[in-house]
Amino acid sequence: MINTKLLKSYFVKNGFTQGVTAKKIGISYQSLSDKINNKAQFKVNEVSSLCEVLNITDDKTNIFFFKN
């Protein structure tokens, strides 16, 4: 499960919208939205790209392996 709140905070920190971020990692806005909102799962390469684009280093586990 994705920690939506924490992941979205990285969009704000980097000044990116979900649309801009989706383009940067090569997926559609709707696909990114579904994944952020736990309606679909991220692929490994998408997580890697997202971490690179949003400069996520220390919070990877807290974001992508969140236990509610």
Side-chain angles (χ1 to χ4, degrees):
M1 176 176 264
I2 302 300
N3 184 334
T4 302
K5 185 176 180 179
L6 184 55
L7 180 55
K8 285 183 176 182
S9 74
Y10 276 89
F11 291 121
V12 173
K13 286 179 188 177
N14 288 281
F16 295 150
T17 63
Q18 284 182 219
V20 168
T21 305
K23 285 181 185 178
K24 287 184 177 281
I25 66 170
I27 62 175
S28 70
Y29 170 86
Q30 188 59 53
S31 180
L32 180 59
S33 180
D34 287 347
K35 292 170 186 200
I36 290 171
N37 292 301
N38 294 295
K39 294 179 183 176
Q41 293 183 345
F42 280 101
K43 295 177 183 174
V44 173
N45 65 320
E46 294 167 342
V47 170
S48 179
S49 294
L50 195 57
C51 288
E52 186 176 320
V53 167
L54 297 176
N55 300 310
I56 299 170
T57 55
D58 298 335
D59 283 328
K60 287 180 188 178
T61 301
N62 294 329
I63 293 171
F64 297 104
F65 300 102
F66 181 68
K67 293 189 180 186
N68 199 4

